[in-house]
Amino acid sequence: MAELLRGGQFLVKETSCENVFTPEDFTEEQQMMKEAVMEFNDREIIPHKDRFEAKDYALTEDVMRKAGELGFLGVAVPEEFGGLGMGFVSTMLTCDYISSGTGSFSTAFGAHTGIGTMPITLYGTQAQKEKYVPKLATGEWFGAYCLTEPGAGSDANSGKTTAELSADGKSYKINGQKMWISNAGFCRLMIVFARIENDKNITGFIVEYDKENPNGITLGEEEHKLGIRASSTRQVFFNDTVVPAENMLAGRGEGFKIAMNALNVGRIKLAAACLDSQRRIITNAVKYANERKQFKTPIADFGAIKVKLAEMATDAYVGESASYRAAKDIEDRIALRLEAGNTHQEAELKGVEEYAIECSILKVAVSEDVQNCADEGIQIFGGMGFSEETPMESAWRDARIARIYEGTNEINRMLSVGMLVKKAMKGHVDLLGPATAVADELMGIPSFDTPDYSELFAEEKAIIGKLKKTFLMVAGSAIQKYGTELEEHQQLLIAAADILIEIYMAESAILRTEKNAKRFGEDSQSVQIAMSKLYLYHAVDKIEEKGKESIISFAEGDEQRMLLMGLKRFTKYANYPDIVDLRNEIAEKVKAENKYCF
């Protein structure tokens, strides 16, 4: 087996296409799972869209129960606790294909299976897991996750909710207020974060909630939200809520760590949850564009609409490529740790934590793509897109939350670069060596040889290599200048993150397409080749813009001139692609198939 890259190493090591996992690599079991989930979505969710939009919370709860009966809530849960014990890729694809019917169900599903159940399977004692996980895996009980407070959003560790140990040491009393709690209206179990005395970090607790015997827990009214309307979202108030001491999750003061690691899993699954929504939006848009005639012509034949269809399809293809690439890396890392004798808990935790950078990258990229996709979907429908009668306006409203929850995209951008720097300091990713090599290269004389780019993606892969040098050049110079104070320069971090994101996404698409072209033949992948080239073209543009913005903001004089020269060298094509041609090829394929077809 080839060496498995560590998280963040994609930046400094070359990945061969044979070593990436793609949706075309799904096993027979995964294909069956995918079909079962799609069938469930088509039967139980999509026909009832109007009821979800009309805030039918009972319907959300009912469909969640049915998902539990079919095992969908327990895909990631080990078999000994009533789950299916499937691998990480299967967990991802379940989340992907179950989430596109409505954001309301998608949120309830994600909150329950991810942050509602995962903290117990990953941090719980054997007794806690035996007591609670089977109920959650089967949907007998639903879970909620109580972290956010009115004064503690992105700064999650600043919560004011308290937990006080009783005189006999047998229980804790929890007091405080939580807000934006998904599934609050129908949950039976809450993961609650509170502070003990003046601890630096919060602590996690498993809290049962029984409406008949509320134990000091009261719920606010359902929130009136822009989207995800049938997802139950309430405030939760704790007034002397008594929790047995043995319901503490992990150790005292470990809550912040639990919260952060639960969110890593949540982030990559949120990316998955946006994928099928994009496929469905594209399919709806192209069907409409093929039927709708203006000036005696289907609007799908107009160049202005083809641009939209091509860009929407490209983003969906790229997001899918990157998401499953990372999911399989996580699955493989978990397998390695299990082989090395780690417990299931340790292996899962460390496996996901290893790729926290990729999880943040995907969360940002795919949540922004689904919003753009829905926005263009509305535009293709024109006036009808603005109407509740067509599926676009609810898709657009539902997509909006994805950029906020599981850590805002701003926080995730800064995290991705911050975590990369930390990994470099720990010696897990060698950034210094490659960054120094790039600095030396800038001082040297550039080669004027014309390379041989006759092979598929030869030039594109060379460009990806140069974009990685761009990141190392810009980030390396910024770290040299600011050192550990870099995190105070948020605008530079965000620009660096945008460069990092584009590299990972563009490379993932190219590697997927290259792998498939090698095994299925280039002809079968001509549109995928066009999408990979189109995405890379935009990525180069964006990286050039963000690189320039950074360089002219932190460097001056000779250093600035040299860095800008390097930027120009690293973002240059030898042969530019014909963008109009690429878009036309992609749009024609989608038009002919009358759906998203990749």
Side-chain angles (χ1 to χ4, degrees):
M1 188 179 146
E3 176 204 11
L4 178 59
L5 292 192
R6 300 195 66 150
Q9 278 188 335
F10 70 87
L11 192 63
V12 291
K13 296 203 171 183
E14 201 174 333
T15 304
S16 81
C17 69
E18 286 77 17
N19 293 339
V20 296
F21 180 84
T22 75
E24 291 74 27
D25 294 308
F26 285 157
T27 63
E28 208 171 314
E29 181 188 52
Q30 286 163 342
Q31 278 295 13
M32 283 165 64
M33 191 70 191
K34 172 182 154 182
E35 278 155 28
V37 174
M38 288 173 80
E39 201 257 329
F40 178 81
N41 193 13
D42 286 336
R43 185 183 71 239
E44 299 292 347
I45 302 173
I46 289 163
H48 306 301
K49 185 114 199 214
D50 296 352
R51 287 173 62 191
F52 285 111
E53 288 310 307
K55 304 185 183 182
D56 190 337
Y57 304 106
L59 176 63
T60 301
E61 186 180 352
D62 182 45
V63 178
M64 280 287 286
R65 207 147 258 128
K66 288 177 176 165
E69 284 160 15
L70 291 170
F72 298 148
L73 302 181
V75 175
V77 173
E79 290 179 55
E80 62 172 309
F81 304 117
L84 298 178
M86 291 171 112
F88 200 82
V89 172
S90 299
T91 307
M92 278 285 281
L93 77 86
T94 304
C95 191
D96 174 351
Y97 287 95
I98 212 165
S99 293
S100 65
T102 162
S104 299
F105 180 80
S106 171
T107 301
F109 179 85
H112 172 80
T113 56
I115 50 184
T117 305
M118 283 295 258
I120 308 180
T121 54
L122 296 187
Y123 286 98
T125 61
Q126 190 63 20
Q128 287 170 343
K129 288 189 287 189
E130 283 169 3
K131 183 173 180 185
Y132 295 116
V133 176
K135 290 185 165 75
L136 294 167
T138 55
E140 182 189 337
W141 281 20
F142 295 120
Y145 179 83
C146 303
L147 176 63
T148 306
E149 297 184 13
S154 295
D155 182 6
N157 205 22
S158 65
K160 305 262 188 290
T161 298
T162 59
E164 192 186 339
L165 188 60
S166 60
D168 62 7
K170 288 186 175 167
S171 62
Y172 284 89
K173 259 187 194 164
I174 294 184
N175 283 286
Q177 171 188 7
K178 299 287 179 180
M179 72 188 303
W180 308 125
I181 307 307
S182 296
N183 297 353
F186 57 80
C187 72
R188 275 285 274 120
L189 179 146
M190 300 173 178
I191 310 283
V192 181
F193 295 91
R195 194 177 311 279
I196 301 172
E197 292 170 352
N198 293 325
D199 287 2
K200 179 176 170 238
N201 289 326
I202 50 182
T203 299
F205 293 90
I206 302 169
V207 180
E208 294 183 28
Y209 172 57
D210 183 354
K211 286 176 186 159
E212 308 302 312
N213 175 21
N215 184 15
I217 300 175
T218 48
L219 304 180
E221 291 297 308
E222 288 286 355
E223 299 287 351
H224 297 288
K225 308 184 295 291
L226 173 71
I228 58 169
R229 289 185 169 170
S231 147
S232 173
T233 314
R234 297 181 171 205
Q235 292 199 48
V236 182
F237 302 90
F238 300 95
N239 185 7
D240 285 348
T241 298
V242 179
V243 183
E246 64 268 20
N247 274 28
M248 183 189 286
L249 200 50
R252 176 170 173 172
E254 301 270 289
F256 187 57
K257 194 171 78 181
I258 297 174
M260 292 305 100
N261 283 327
L263 290 175
N264 285 334
V265 183
R267 282 167 186 150
I268 187 167
K269 286 197 185 158
L270 180 58
C274 296
L275 294 174
D276 199 49
S277 299
Q278 289 182 76
R279 297 185 200 105
R280 210 170 273 277
I281 290 166
I282 295 162
T283 295
N284 278 322
V286 70
K287 282 186 170 153
Y288 184 82
N290 274 331
E291 284 165 20
R292 170 78 170 162
K293 286 194 171 137
Q294 287 294 283
F295 312 103
K296 297 183 180 157
T297 311
I299 63 169
D301 290 346
F302 293 120
I305 300 295
K306 284 183 188 176
V307 172
K308 297 184 188 310
L309 294 174
E311 298 287 355
M312 289 156 81
T314 297
D315 284 346
Y317 177 77
V318 173
E320 179 183 71
S321 307
S323 297
Y324 284 102
R325 172 191 184 182
K328 185 67 162 79
D329 284 344
I330 290 172
E331 187 172 292
D332 289 347
R333 175 67 58 180
I334 291 168
L336 279 179
R337 284 193 162 268
L338 288 171
E339 278 164 34
N342 281 170
T343 63
H344 168 264
Q345 275 171 296
E346 287 171 317
E348 289 264 339
L349 259 178
K350 293 292 181 202
V352 176
E353 202 178 335
E354 178 63 56
Y355 296 97
I357 295 166
E358 287 81 353
C359 292
S360 280
I361 285 173
L362 289 165
K363 191 274 178 182
V364 173
V366 186
S367 67
E368 292 180 1
D369 287 342
V370 73
Q371 183 86 63
N372 293 337
C373 187
D375 201 68
E376 291 287 43
I378 289 180
Q379 200 68 11
I380 289 170
F381 271 73
M384 284 309 292
F386 209 69
S387 163
E388 285 186 8
E389 280 175 39
T390 61
M392 289 300 164
E393 69 88 39
S394 64
W396 185 86
R397 285 188 290 98
D398 283 352
R400 187 60 188 85
I401 187 62
R403 284 157 52 201
I404 298 170
Y405 56 19
E406 308 286 353
T408 65
N409 284 10
E410 291 69 27
I411 287 281
N412 273 293
R413 278 186 162 88
M414 291 186 286
L415 265 178
S416 60
V417 178
M419 290 186 288
L420 186 62
V421 173
K422 277 201 184 88
K423 280 198 153 203
M425 307 262 186
K426 282 185 185 165
H428 292 178
V429 178
D430 175 18
L431 289 185
L432 192 63
T436 311
V438 172
D440 293 346
E441 185 182 331
L442 289 179
M443 303 301 264
I445 297 163
S447 149
F448 293 105
D449 299 344
T450 315
D452 172 20
Y453 285 148
S454 53
E455 210 173 290
L456 175 66
F457 287 143
E459 177 163 10
E460 286 73 17
K461 280 160 56 178
I463 287 172
I464 291 279
K466 291 193 292 188
L467 296 180
K468 291 177 183 182
K469 288 179 182 175
T470 306
F471 179 88
L472 292 165
M473 175 182 79
V474 174
S477 308
I479 291 169
Q480 231 171 347
K481 176 156 186 181
Y482 297 115
T484 49
E485 283 164 20
L486 181 64
E487 55 192 48
E488 288 161 33
H489 297 269
Q490 292 193 347
Q491 295 188 41
L492 291 178
L493 278 179
I494 285 174
D498 281 330
I499 297 174
L500 189 67
I501 289 166
E502 292 305 324
I503 290 168
Y504 189 71
M505 302 305 284
E507 181 182 64
S508 299
I510 285 167
L511 291 173
R512 173 189 183 180
T513 308
E514 185 189 13
K515 182 177 187 179
N516 290 333
K518 279 184 177 173
R519 56 182 166 178
F520 307 132
E522 260 182 60
D523 293 349
S524 74
Q525 300 295 305
S526 71
V527 182
Q528 288 88 332
I529 291 168
M531 291 192 285
S532 304
K533 287 181 173 179
L534 178 61
Y535 190 91
L536 179 64
Y537 173 78
H538 291 316
V540 171
D541 248 11
K542 193 179 281 188
I543 287 170
E544 189 174 16
E545 180 202 337
K546 297 294 176 181
K548 182 178 172 188
E549 178 190 307
S550 302
I551 291 164
I552 61 180
S553 300
F554 71 72
E556 44 197 27
D558 285 347
E559 186 196 9
Q560 187 189 86
R561 272 192 293 280
M562 188 183 71
L563 291 172
L564 286 173
M565 209 172 65
L567 180 67
K568 201 165 187 176
R569 198 193 298 177
F570 293 149
T571 51
K572 202 169 93 196
Y573 274 87
N575 312 284
Y576 279 102
D578 180 336
I579 296 302
V580 171
D581 234 27
L582 293 178
R583 286 187 185 133
N584 282 339
E585 184 180 353
I586 301 160
E588 286 303 332
K589 174 72 173 168
V590 175
K591 254 176 59 183
E593 298 279 342
N594 207 23
K595 64 177 186 195
Y596 178 82
C597 53
F598 306 104

